[in-house]
Amino acid sequence: MGNTPSKANNSQKKHPRKPAGRLRFWCYLSNQLSASMEEDSHSQSASLKEFYIPSYVLLLDSESETVPDVPRCPVLVFINSKSGGQLGGDLLVTYRSLLNKNQVFDVGEEAPDKALRRIYLNLETLKANGDAYATQIQERLRIIVAGGDGTAGWLLGVVCDLKLSHPPPIATVPLGTGNNLPFAFGWGKKNPGTDRHAVEQFLRHVMNAKEMKIDNWHILMRMRAPKEGSCDPIAPLELPHSLHAFGRVSATDELNKEGYHTFRGGFWNYFSMGMDAQVSYAFHSERKLHPEKFKNQLVNQSTYAKLGCTQGWFFASLVHPSSHNIAQLAKVKVMKKCGQWRDLEIPSSIRSIVCLNLPSFSGGLNPWGTPNTKKSQYKDFTPPYVDDGLLEVVGFRDAWHGLVLYAPSGHGTRLAQAHRICFEFHKGGADHTFMRIDGEPWKQPLPVDDDTVVVEISHHGQVNILATRDCQSKSVRDPSSSPSQHGTEDCQSDDDSSHGGEEHRKFGAAETFKIPEDIDISHIS
């Protein structure tokens, strides 16, 4: 019994030491974690410096500042905050928290052409004053655009119009419903994460991306001015600065013809006509009436599928009159490079026709596929290259026909590859049809008398785009491709001679400007 107090006392003496030991351990662990987090923070900060652009480069008359080393990959970020439901706004917040807020733009607040004009004028002023830092920024500059295909095409059109001495290549963030442009160049088609980690990962991909050329296309539409009413093609989405919205040429432009309405526009991915455009028109009209119902990409896609049923696209042979089939609506002519116009024979069952520039349509499908040149009907066809100056022309009978694209070697009805295409619509069994450019549809009135509506598509030029290393788009400039086999022969293009006028040489996505030569840029307001 006499030992019991002693054991108790010993226990009481040892017990207080244990919390002290644990406390030291937790303090040590906390310090290690803090040091690790601080190290990670420094690492992340150092990594983001590779994309950071100082304010004095972006803003006229900004305060002087100490600048870091020239970033390896300076970026300008343009985000459509209304795209992807709440995702666009969230992405805007994240980018502005990681980079200089002056290098991140909401296209709804400042149009891209205005922002780029201001920045490039400032860059030229700095370069004229001998600023080597600004010179290197301009040479390394890349653009990121987050939005739907319409927003991405808008930026491509702006850069094309501005005719910059060093046009920056563009990376596209999939933030729409179809996301055909991002998917074609390896950026995916699902809406991205908007947190810090996802944005930093995307920026690293942009730094390591490769540059590619992409063809762009001019489209002209001419119709006789009606005695009453209007025949203007009007897209349901109101994008007044977008290259997708057709614009009437001015009275002084060489394209203008007295007694006619002449419209012009441009596209990067595709022009389609027929029932597929009809379904798209129904979807966009519904979204315009009830925008609150279209906040989720999955919901949007399921709604699109339902409209395909209600519009009769799956049962076209039963509900779609044959007078609305493409062969009945229009006479189609095509021209290869350095060639002559020839009539294109279209099967009578074709209800939709697609003129495709990229191997991505309807959410990433490839309607053209890879033709087997050993087959006689495909001997003159090539795989779809994005910079060969050719459009792939594909036809579809109905939505069931379109489902063959999900098969590994599935494709639509290959009709032609063309450098120029002309559609002539005459009076017939339909008073309208539906057309679509890069996802932007409209309802197009057709002749009601003996007049003709003409739609002509021609090659316009090329711009630079960024692609991941494993993207599905192919270039004729790739070492594994032989340019001589893909219709890239060097010949005198007739584009400019047949479509004169300054307006043809721009998309209308921006107020065209070019840095003046032999002029003191610092005096330009």
Side-chain angles (χ1 to χ4, degrees):
M1 295 292 296
N3 291 333
T4 303
S6 176
K7 290 179 180 179
N9 290 336
N10 288 339
S11 176
Q12 289 173 356
K13 291 178 182 178
K14 293 178 181 179
H15 185 69
R17 294 195 192 103
K18 292 181 179 179
R22 291 193 182 109
L23 182 61
R24 284 196 297 272
F25 170 75
W26 287 113
C27 287
Y28 170 80
L29 183 61
S30 177
N31 290 336
Q32 290 295 102
L33 288 173
S34 297
S36 176
M37 291 173 64
E38 186 175 352
E39 184 178 346
D40 289 343
S41 178
H42 285 308
S43 175
Q44 292 171 348
S45 178
S47 174
L48 291 172
K49 286 180 181 178
E50 300 294 355
F51 309 96
Y52 184 91
I53 302 178
S55 292
Y56 93 95
V57 175
L58 303 165
L59 303 173
L60 293 169
D61 302 323
S62 61
E63 297 180 0
S64 59
E65 57 184 307
T66 302
V67 297
D69 294 335
V70 180
R72 288 174 54 196
C73 183
V75 295
L76 295 175
V77 184
F78 294 89
I79 299 173
N80 187 339
S81 61
K82 296 181 179 179
S83 293
Q86 185 62 34
L87 295 181
D90 292 344
L91 204 60
L92 187 71
V93 172
T94 303
Y95 269 102
R96 283 179 172 171
S97 69
L98 296 178
L99 303 174
N100 184 342
K101 65 179 182 179
N102 294 312
Q103 69 186 97
V104 182
F105 304 89
D106 183 347
V107 298
E109 296 176 354
E110 183 175 16
D113 54 316
K114 305 295 184 184
L116 287 174
R117 184 180 192 276
R118 172 171 50 79
I119 290 170
Y120 270 85
L121 286 175
N122 194 40
L123 281 169
E124 292 296 328
T125 301
L126 295 171
K127 286 168 58 181
N129 293 332
D131 191 322
Y133 188 96
T135 301
Q136 293 184 67
I137 288 285
Q138 183 171 341
E139 292 174 351
R140 301 179 185 183
L141 187 64
R142 295 186 166 194
I143 285 178
I144 296 173
V145 53
D149 284 332
T151 305
W154 183 8
L155 258 295
L156 288 168
V158 166
V159 172
C160 178
D161 279 353
L162 295 187
K163 308 183 191 310
L164 304 168
S165 56
H166 291 87
I170 299 172
T172 55
V173 181
L175 210 60
T177 301
N179 298 319
N180 290 297
L181 262 169
F183 184 75
F185 294 96
W187 302 107
K189 57 183 177 181
K190 292 184 178 180
N191 293 159
T194 60
D195 59 281
R196 178 186 180 114
H197 175 73
V199 169
E200 289 182 348
Q201 188 176 38
F202 188 86
L203 284 169
R204 286 192 293 270
H205 287 320
V206 170
M207 180 185 291
N208 297 321
K210 63 180 180 180
E211 289 191 38
M212 293 181 68
K213 294 287 186 180
I214 174 178
D215 291 323
N216 50 48
W217 298 86
H218 178 265
I219 182 167
L220 175 144
M221 180 182 293
R222 178 173 287 131
M223 62 198 76
R224 186 177 294 278
K227 296 179 180 178
E228 57 183 19
S230 172
C231 62
D232 291 8
I234 302 173
L237 290 185
E238 296 175 359
L239 297 174
H241 298 287
S242 172
L243 63 95
H244 297 287
F246 268 99
R248 188 178 300 176
V249 301
S250 65
T252 58
D253 190 86
E254 293 180 27
L255 293 176
N256 185 58
K257 188 175 180 181
E258 188 176 354
Y260 288 81
H261 289 329
T262 302
F263 302 86
R264 53 164 308 283
F267 67 94
W268 309 92
N269 191 2
Y270 65 87
F271 166 84
S272 72
M273 179 181 67
M275 285 206 73
D276 75 295
Q278 178 179 334
V279 175
S280 178
Y281 181 83
F283 173 82
H284 283 261
S285 298
E286 183 71 15
R287 185 167 65 175
K288 184 179 179 182
L289 291 173
H290 306 286
E292 71 282 356
K293 297 180 180 180
F294 297 81
K295 297 292 186 180
N296 179 279
Q297 186 181 35
L298 185 60
V299 171
N300 292 355
Q301 291 170 343
S302 63
T303 302
Y304 205 103
K306 292 177 183 177
L307 287 170
C309 293
T310 59
Q311 293 293 314
W313 185 214
F314 281 92
F315 313 102
S317 60
L318 299 176
V319 302
H320 186 81
S322 59
S323 60
H324 290 202
N325 291 1
I326 303 302
Q328 300 296 319
L329 285 177
K331 180 180 180 180
V332 185
K333 297 180 179 180
V334 295
M335 179 191 291
K336 276 275 197 174
K337 281 191 172 181
C338 307
Q340 301 295 321
W341 287 107
R342 69 175 179 86
D343 292 336
L344 180 63
E345 183 177 347
I346 300 176
S348 59
S349 60
I350 295 298
R351 298 178 175 87
S352 175
I353 192 169
V354 181
C355 304
L356 194 66
N357 186 38
L358 306 179
S360 181
F361 176 75
S362 190
L365 302 176
N366 182 359
W368 186 255
T370 303
N372 183 351
T373 54
K374 294 180 180 179
K375 295 184 178 181
S376 59
Q377 69 266 38
Y378 297 150
K379 64 178 182 177
D380 295 327
F381 291 159
T382 70
Y385 295 95
V386 299
D387 55 353
D388 60 356
L390 296 174
L391 286 171
E392 283 68 46
V393 186
V394 187
F396 292 98
R397 297 184 299 273
D398 50 32
W400 298 112
H401 187 192
L403 291 180
V404 303
L405 301 181
Y406 287 96
S409 58
H411 59 85
T413 301
R414 300 184 181 110
L415 300 173
Q417 285 178 303
H419 188 61
R420 293 177 65 181
I421 306 171
C422 181
F423 297 86
E424 293 182 357
F425 299 88
H426 300 276
K427 181 181 178 181
D431 59 1
H432 68 271
T433 188
F434 295 89
M435 298 181 181
R436 179 164 60 145
I437 298 178
D438 288 0
E440 308 287 347
W442 73 95
K443 183 177 180 179
Q444 174 58 44
L446 295 179
V448 294
D449 49 29
D450 294 330
D451 198 16
T452 302
V453 171
V454 175
V455 175
E456 186 172 332
I457 299 170
S458 57
H459 188 255
H460 180 77
Q462 295 181 328
V463 294
N464 299 323
I465 200 162
L466 289 171
T468 62
R469 298 292 170 180
D470 57 349
C471 77
Q472 66 170 346
S473 295
K474 304 300 180 184
S475 167
V476 293
R477 293 173 173 81
D478 189 283
S480 62
S481 300
S482 175
S484 62
Q485 298 177 1
H486 306 306
T488 58
E489 64 271 18
D490 186 17
C491 63
Q492 182 64 38
S493 173
D494 59 349
D495 289 349
D496 289 334
S497 61
S498 62
H499 294 298
E502 176 64 24
E503 291 199 33
H504 169 66
R505 294 187 289 275
K506 64 181 181 179
F507 274 79
E511 294 181 3
T512 300
F513 92 109
K514 185 176 181 179
I515 300 297
E517 297 177 359
D518 303 323
I519 295 179
D520 185 356
I521 195 73
S522 62
H523 292 160
I524 298 178
S525 58

